[in-house]
Amino acid sequence: MALETLLSETLGIVRKPILPKVLNKKLTLITGGSSGIGLAVARQIGEAGGTVILVARGLENLEIAKKEVEELGGTAHIYTCNLSDTDSCKALVEKVLEDHGPIDVLINNAGRSIRRSVDDAYDRIHDFERTMDLNYFGCLQMILGFLPSMRERKKGHIINISSAGCQSNVPRFSAYIASKSALDAFSRCLTNEVAQDNINITTVYMPLVRTPMIAPTKTYDYLPVMSPERAAQLVLKSLVTKQKKVTTPLGSLAEVVYDVSPTSATRIMNLSYQFEEKLRAYQAKQKAKKAQAEVA
Ligand SMILES: NC(=O)c1ccc[n+]([C@@H]2O[C@H](COP(=O)([O-])OP(=O)(O)OC[C@H]3O[C@@H](n4cnc5c(N)ncnc54)[C@H](OP(=O)(O)O)[C@@H]3O)[C@@H](O)[C@H]2O)c1
């Protein structure tokens, strides 16, 4: 019941228990379904009585996730796979198709984020390769693997979990944002090839969400960020509406500002970048002073 209410609030138009109807006999594969946003989506689908296939590298967390989904009333199948590895992706697609046949919904959610300025990455091409391996090539392989059976059946929905950083061009995330944008660009072209086959592709421009992914960045501890449950509703909303783009007001505003005045957008983001650089330098200085005082 709580989910229906939340969906009603999010969509503004849904008054009935729509999710169980939308999910009826549908098979949804969620990559990265053992943690954070993916797990929250799985739980809510479970609550609505749906069936999910959860994919991640770690078996232990997948088993916990399966148990949770089933306790909520859903069905969960779990598969381990390293989505950064081509052979592992191929094996996953083959196994899932063999075990379950075609899937109805693919949620490309597993992702890797790297927060590092380009200034600190001149000798770190692997930062760019690693993000591309998972956030682009891993997702791409899922799409290439599951799309043929979707097209054959003339139905399917692919949901890519992107980032609001793609809308705001946030500094220090160039490797991450570039990899997410690659998937976005691919999907926009693809949608123009498959629309006649009733294949829907959605990109969710996710804002900051309180998950293990952002835990290493201590600055985020003080920011008001979205809960995984609320983030899951954005994903589920797209499952219902099949809209091409899911965004937050702040993400849309960032796009508008850039379209209207790219120079102003750059000034704002550059100021925030410089502010953090200065803050870091100040904090390092204070730390050194304190250490010196302790020695003396
Ligand atoms: N959190 C945010 O603020 C935020 C903001 C914007 C966008 N996003 C996007 O939202 C998505 C979910 O993020 P999250 O915050 O929920 O992350 P999370 O809590 O860290 O969960 C990541 C999930 O992906 C799986 N995974 C990671 N690497 C994998 C690999 N190589 N192969 C297979 N599975 C892998 C993890 O399981 P294993 O480690 O066991 O493999 C885990 O289930 C990501 O695409 C992220 O870029 C997040």
Side-chain angles (χ1 to χ4, degrees):
M1 189 59 85
L3 178 61
E4 288 156 30
T5 314
L6 289 168
L7 271 172
S8 303
E9 280 172 9
T10 314
L11 293 170
I13 46 165
V14 182
R15 304 257 181 275
K16 291 182 193 158
I18 194 162
L19 199 62
K21 270 189 211 154
V22 171
L23 291 171
N24 188 21
K25 295 200 179 98
K26 270 194 185 147
L27 194 52
T28 301
L29 186 146
I30 310 171
T31 68
S34 63
S35 171
I37 300 165
L39 177 59
V41 172
R43 280 187 189 131
Q44 294 191 20
I45 291 179
E47 210 178 357
T51 303
V52 288
I53 296 173
L54 307 178
V55 177
R57 289 166 303 179
L59 182 61
E60 202 179 312
N61 283 345
L62 279 171
E63 282 172 341
I64 296 170
K66 176 179 164 68
K67 198 164 168 264
E68 283 184 26
V69 170
E70 301 201 329
E71 276 170 4
L72 287 163
T75 307
H77 308 279
I78 53 175
Y79 291 84
T80 55
C81 171
N82 180 1
L83 293 158
S84 295
D85 179 81
T86 309
D87 292 338
S88 191
C89 286
K90 256 190 208 159
L92 173 79
V93 171
E94 274 174 26
K95 186 82 180 108
V96 167
L97 288 174
E98 188 188 306
D99 291 353
H100 304 279
I103 61 167
D104 299 285
V105 182
L106 165 65
I107 305 183
N108 270 321
N109 166 76
R112 175 186 199 125
S113 170
I114 294 181
R115 187 175 193 268
R116 182 170 290 120
S117 65
V118 175
D119 201 34
D120 290 329
Y122 296 128
D123 58 350
R124 295 182 63 93
I125 191 67
H126 53 279
D127 277 5
F128 300 86
E129 289 168 345
R130 284 176 189 163
T131 45
M132 286 299 276
D133 281 346
L134 180 57
N135 301 344
Y136 181 52
F137 290 114
C139 299
L140 184 61
Q141 269 197 276
M142 292 302 102
I143 295 175
L144 297 178
F146 291 113
L147 185 62
S149 50
M150 286 182 172
R151 292 188 78 176
E152 208 173 295
R153 297 162 82 213
K154 300 240 176 287
K155 58 175 180 173
H157 191 179
I158 296 164
I159 303 175
N160 298 323
I161 309 303
S162 187
S163 164
C166 296
Q167 299 169 292
S168 58
N169 312 305
V170 63
R172 290 191 184 80
F173 284 93
S174 58
Y176 173 66
I177 295 301
S179 63
K180 291 282 187 190
S181 300
L183 184 65
D184 198 4
F186 167 82
S187 302
R188 283 198 228 180
C189 293
L190 174 64
T191 199
N192 291 335
E193 291 186 26
V194 298
Q196 77 284 1
D197 289 336
N198 194 25
I199 307 296
N200 295 285
I201 307 181
T202 299
T203 298
V204 182
Y205 295 96
M206 201 56 91
L208 268 182
V209 182
R210 185 78 62 211
T211 70
M213 181 177 274
I214 68 162
T217 308
K218 293 297 154 215
T219 328
Y220 296 155
D221 289 352
Y222 310 103
L223 295 180
V225 299
M226 195 176 260
S227 69
E229 291 69 32
R230 178 79 181 87
Q233 287 156 37
L234 291 181
V235 180
L236 292 169
K237 175 185 169 185
S238 79
L239 200 68
V240 177
T241 61
K242 297 195 170 71
Q243 66 202 85
K244 289 194 185 307
K245 178 173 173 176
V246 176
T247 175
T248 56
L250 208 56
S252 302
L253 179 68
E255 277 186 305
V256 170
V257 172
Y258 191 86
D259 285 348
V260 173
S261 174
T263 311
S264 307
T266 302
R267 274 204 195 112
I268 296 167
M269 295 315 269
N270 180 247
L271 273 176
S272 79
Y273 176 77
Q274 290 195 62
F275 175 75
E276 195 178 325
E277 289 295 289
K278 284 187 178 137
L279 187 68
R280 276 187 194 183
Y282 173 77
Q283 283 170 336
K285 215 170 149 183
Q286 292 299 102
K287 211 172 156 188
K289 258 191 195 168
K290 204 175 157 195
Q292 241 177 8
E294 272 169 14
V295 171

